[in-house]
Amino acid sequence: MSDNLLLSHGPSRAEVSQIGAELMSWTVDGRERIWGGDPAYWPRRAPILFPVCGWMNGGVLRAKGRVIPCGVHGFGSDAAFRLTRVAENSLRATLSDTADTRAAFPFAFALAIDITLEDRAVRYSFEVTNPGDEPLPFALGFHPGFVWPFDGGRKDDYVVEFERAETPFSPKIAPGGLFTDEMLPVPFAGQRLNILDGLDRPDALVLRNANSRRVRFIAPSGRALGVEMEHFPHWVFWSRPGGDYLCIEGWTGHGDPVGFTGDITDKPGQILLPPGGRSRHTYRCWLE
């Protein structure tokens, strides 16, 4: 029997795992909107990225004179969160530093996630707090995979529409997930992107410091899935060939540049949160 937490509100139902506070299912009017996690393509569904986003050079982070193994996106997605509030349509999950986390990331932190289910929407609200006496270097991301196609039709007829015009270039990502200085063109048509064309590259499509805080993922039927973010400066779009999903992600940071061997406090894209500081971020998705 599943240990997932069940939420409901109006026509929406959701399941949330205590491991990683991962959104395992979100249905509207009985239809699933979250990818099912087929391990042949991608075994996850909607992981939390913390305390880094992306790949580290050599699979390690450097902090306080130590060289520490670090997997892609850090440890947040596999951590056991503590439930501090559960209601019919919402819950709060928290994670804080322990002896185990300090072995992997030698900093004090507290991460609280409020998950709220609305009539046709899900909201993830994040708060990172620094309870320590030194700056906390962190990055945060939300990585949900949505069913694609989600309303019939062919995948190559789906588009993403941006709230504002975007710079039509994104960084080329080297093998191993590291960021290069080379920029690849993004085939925008005005403020729309045929997403299958946009993903015609070796790795994810990353729009750093984007102008848009809102996008719409539009089916050929005209039905749309909307996403709105606050204090996530980077959009990331990703899928694997053959997988019927599209990840529409919000990141505050990104993978290491090629050749980077600096301390985690010098890693490009990390937020340096001062002692006693708080950083709040929101990701909301809805079905139109």
Side-chain angles (χ1 to χ4, degrees):
M1 185 175 179
S2 172
D3 291 329
N4 294 342
L5 284 302
L6 305 180
L7 304 178
S8 66
H9 188 82
S12 288
R13 301 289 183 272
E15 294 186 26
V16 179
S17 173
Q18 280 189 249
I19 303 301
E22 186 168 1
L23 183 64
M24 305 300 287
S25 171
W26 171 43
T27 64
V28 180
D29 298 323
R31 293 183 62 183
E32 183 61 69
R33 305 300 172 180
I34 295 295
W35 159 253
D38 184 344
Y41 299 100
W42 182 52
R44 305 306 297 253
R45 304 188 187 198
I48 305 299
L49 316 183
F50 182 84
V52 296
C53 295
W55 292 90
M56 309 292 282
N57 187 20
V60 298
L61 68 81
R62 293 170 172 83
K64 302 182 180 182
R66 297 166 53 194
V67 179
I68 307 169
C70 180
V72 63
H73 305 316
F75 54 77
S77 62
D78 295 316
F81 279 67
R82 186 167 67 94
L83 297 174
T84 59
R85 177 179 54 79
V86 179
E88 182 178 3
N89 74 317
S90 65
L91 62 84
R92 167 168 277 210
T94 61
L95 181 69
S96 57
D97 60 289
T98 64
D100 287 340
T101 69
R102 286 190 292 271
F105 180 68
F107 298 92
F109 71 87
L111 169 62
I113 305 176
D114 289 300
I115 304 169
T116 305
L117 192 63
E118 303 168 11
D119 272 359
R120 309 180 75 80
V122 178
R123 181 192 302 271
Y124 267 65
S125 299
F126 305 87
E127 182 179 80
V128 181
T129 304
N130 181 2
D133 57 6
E134 62 184 338
L136 165 63
F138 80 92
L140 176 73
F142 188 44
H143 190 325
F146 298 103
V147 172
W148 175 31
F150 64 83
D151 199 52
R154 303 188 313 170
K155 291 173 72 173
D156 58 1
D157 289 329
Y158 279 67
V159 299
V160 172
E161 180 180 71
F162 290 79
E163 176 186 29
R164 298 175 181 171
E166 298 292 343
T167 302
F169 295 95
S170 70
K172 180 179 179 180
I173 300 176
L178 304 185
F179 278 56
T180 73
D181 292 332
E182 182 179 351
M183 301 298 284
L184 297 177
V186 181
F188 284 109
Q191 290 173 215
R192 287 194 168 195
L193 173 67
N194 180 296
I195 194 61
L196 205 60
D197 291 343
L199 292 177
D200 185 20
R201 58 191 59 226
D203 209 294
L205 169 61
V206 181
L207 298 179
R208 288 188 296 191
N209 300 309
N211 298 318
S212 301
R213 300 275 61 83
R214 178 183 293 204
V215 301
R216 298 171 71 238
F217 182 31
I218 306 172
S221 65
R223 187 156 223 185
L225 179 77
V227 175
E228 184 173 39
M229 309 191 303
E230 294 179 11
H231 302 133
F232 285 105
H234 315 308
W235 290 100
V236 180
F237 301 88
W238 178 76
S239 187
R240 282 185 175 147
D244 290 333
Y245 65 91
L246 175 66
C247 293
I248 304 178
E249 309 171 40
W251 292 13
T252 67
H254 52 75
D256 277 354
V258 170
F260 179 76
T261 57
D263 190 88
I264 188 69
T265 57
D266 298 320
K267 173 180 165 63
Q270 293 294 101
I271 294 171
L272 286 179
L273 195 62
R278 297 177 186 272
S279 187
R280 296 182 174 91
H281 313 262
T282 303
Y283 183 109
R284 181 176 179 267
C285 55
W286 67 92
L287 187 68
E288 297 181 1

